[in-house]
Amino acid sequence: MDVRNTAGGSLQISLEVVAKIARLAALEVDDVAEVSSGSNQSVRGLLSKTSLQKDVDVEMKDGVAVVTIHVIPVYGSKVMRVCEKVQENVKQTIQNMTGITVSRVNVVAAGLAEPKPVEE
C-alpha cells in the first residue's frame, strides 16, 4: 500500500487498486483477449497451489512498484510485441493515475485465445 502524508492527513492507495488499474490498462492493448493466470480450472487445478496464482501481482518496496501480469493474447498476433505494449501501457497508466513509480512490469503470456470471428 502506498501511503503519502499531506497537510490534511494521509492518502493511501491499496495494492488491489493498483492491480485493477494494471488489469484494465492491459485490456486496452489490441490483441489482448483477457488477463488471466491461465491455470487449470478443473477441481484438481482449483485445489492446487498453482491455481492460487493471481492474474496481477503488485509488490511495493520503498515506494516503488513491481507488477507481474498474466495475459492471454489472441492467436495469430505477434505475442512479443503485444507483451511489450502491455508493459508500456501498464507502467504509464499506473504512474499517471497514482503517481507511484513503477520499476518493472513483468508480462507472462499464459495462453492463447481463439481469434475473433470475422463479421460479414
Side-chain angles (χ1 to χ4, degrees):
M1 181 175 308
D2 187 45
V3 178
R4 295 180 191 199
N5 294 315
T6 64
S10 67
L11 303 172
Q12 299 178 356
I13 301 174
S14 74
L15 295 181
E16 289 80 17
V17 169
V18 177
K20 181 76 168 190
I21 292 169
R23 181 180 186 285
L24 294 173
L27 290 172
E28 289 176 350
V29 175
D30 290 338
D31 293 326
V32 172
E34 61 184 287
V35 175
S36 171
S37 62
S39 61
N40 188 354
Q41 293 301 315
S42 67
V43 173
R44 173 181 265 167
L46 290 172
L47 297 175
S48 72
K49 287 185 179 180
T50 58
S51 71
L52 299 176
Q53 183 178 25
K54 297 180 189 176
D55 10 340
V56 181
D57 183 52
V58 179
E59 296 178 24
M60 292 290 292
K61 187 169 186 175
D62 299 327
V64 177
V66 175
V67 179
T68 302
I69 187 164
H70 296 76
V71 298
I72 308 291
V74 174
Y75 176 79
S77 63
K78 295 188 182 298
V79 176
M80 291 300 286
R81 184 67 190 130
V82 170
C83 291
E84 288 171 354
K85 287 181 181 179
V86 168
Q87 282 180 317
E88 294 167 13
N89 200 43
V90 166
K91 181 176 182 173
Q92 286 300 320
T93 303
I94 290 172
Q95 291 183 158
N96 290 341
M97 291 183 72
T98 66
I100 296 171
T101 302
V102 178
S103 64
R104 294 183 63 89
V105 178
N106 302 310
V107 180
V108 178
L112 288 174
E114 299 272 333
K116 296 175 185 170
V118 178
E119 296 181 18
E120 295 179 25

